[in-house]
Amino acid sequence: MKKFFFSLNTVLNYKEQVLESLRGEHVAALLKVRACEREIEALENQHKDCMEEFECQKRTGIAISKMKTYEGYLESLGVRILRKQEHLADLKEDEIKKRTRMIEAKKEFTSIQKLKEKKQEEYRKQEQKENETLIE
């Protein structure tokens, strides 16, 4: 009997390459999300520390000009945090899209792979039947 041949093998290989590529894109998107979350956390810590320092300065007495400087800096930190949070929302949306595409590619790859396994099993059974017939 001739060797097993799966006619969709090239499609299976292509789907596997696509899946690996999408996995890489998804990982990159996740890394961007995590990096943005760390940046937001750092900005929030900076804001909290500055606020504590400002409160301490107010208790001990502070010049109006320095007070305005603190307020301006705290406001700019707040704006930066808001912008980063908006950016984070965009990154999360992108990550979800990439995850969805990866899941769909995984489903396609798995279905073709299962078909190959089924065909291979049918081939083995047919080969076994032919061997049994040959032995008899």
Side-chain angles (χ1 to χ4, degrees), residues 72-120:
Y73 181 66
L74 288 168
E75 186 178 327
S76 73
L77 278 176
V79 169
R80 285 174 59 194
I81 289 170
L82 285 176
R83 285 188 187 140
K84 281 289 180 189
Q85 287 172 338
E86 290 169 359
H87 183 61
L88 177 64
D90 292 341
L91 289 175
K92 283 183 175 181
E93 187 177 313
D94 185 50
E95 182 269 330
I96 289 170
K97 286 178 185 174
K98 289 185 191 255
R99 182 179 347 124
T100 304
R101 286 177 46 210
M102 183 188 69
I103 289 170
E104 287 302 312
K106 176 72 174 163
K107 286 177 186 176
E108 291 174 10
F109 173 75
T110 304
S111 66
I112 296 172
Q113 194 173 33
K114 285 182 180 180
L115 179 64
K116 179 180 180 179
E117 290 168 3
K118 183 180 173 185
K119 295 286 186 184
Q120 220 166 8

Side-chain angles (χ1 to χ4, degrees), residues 14-112:
Y14 172 73
K15 293 291 183 183
E16 185 176 25
Q17 290 173 356
V18 168
L19 177 60
E20 289 305 313
S21 172
L22 291 173
R23 276 187 183 142
E25 288 177 18
H26 181 247
V27 167
L30 276 175
L31 291 174
K32 286 180 183 177
V33 167
R34 299 297 173 254
C36 190
E37 287 173 342
R38 284 191 300 273
E39 289 173 13
I40 290 171
E41 186 178 335
L43 286 171
E44 287 173 342
N45 287 336
Q46 205 174 349
H47 187 274
K48 185 182 117 236
D49 293 344
C50 185
M51 192 65 159
E52 288 172 359
E53 186 179 319
F54 182 42
E55 291 299 320
C56 183
Q57 290 281 333
K58 283 198 294 189
R59 279 187 232 112
T60 60
I62 187 173
I64 301 266
S65 61
K66 208 169 190 186
M67 208 177 213
K68 292 286 184 191
T69 304
Y70 269 109
E71 289 171 349
Y73 181 66
L74 288 168
E75 186 178 327
S76 73
L77 278 176
V79 169
R80 285 174 59 194
I81 289 170
L82 285 176
R83 285 188 187 140
K84 281 289 180 189
Q85 287 172 338
E86 290 169 359
H87 183 61
L88 177 64
D90 292 341
L91 289 175
K92 283 183 175 181
E93 187 177 313
D94 185 50
E95 182 269 330
I96 289 170
K97 286 178 185 174
K98 289 185 191 255
R99 182 179 347 124
T100 304
R101 286 177 46 210
M102 183 188 69
I103 289 170
E104 287 302 312
K106 176 72 174 163
K107 286 177 186 176
E108 291 174 10
F109 173 75
T110 304
S111 66
I112 296 172

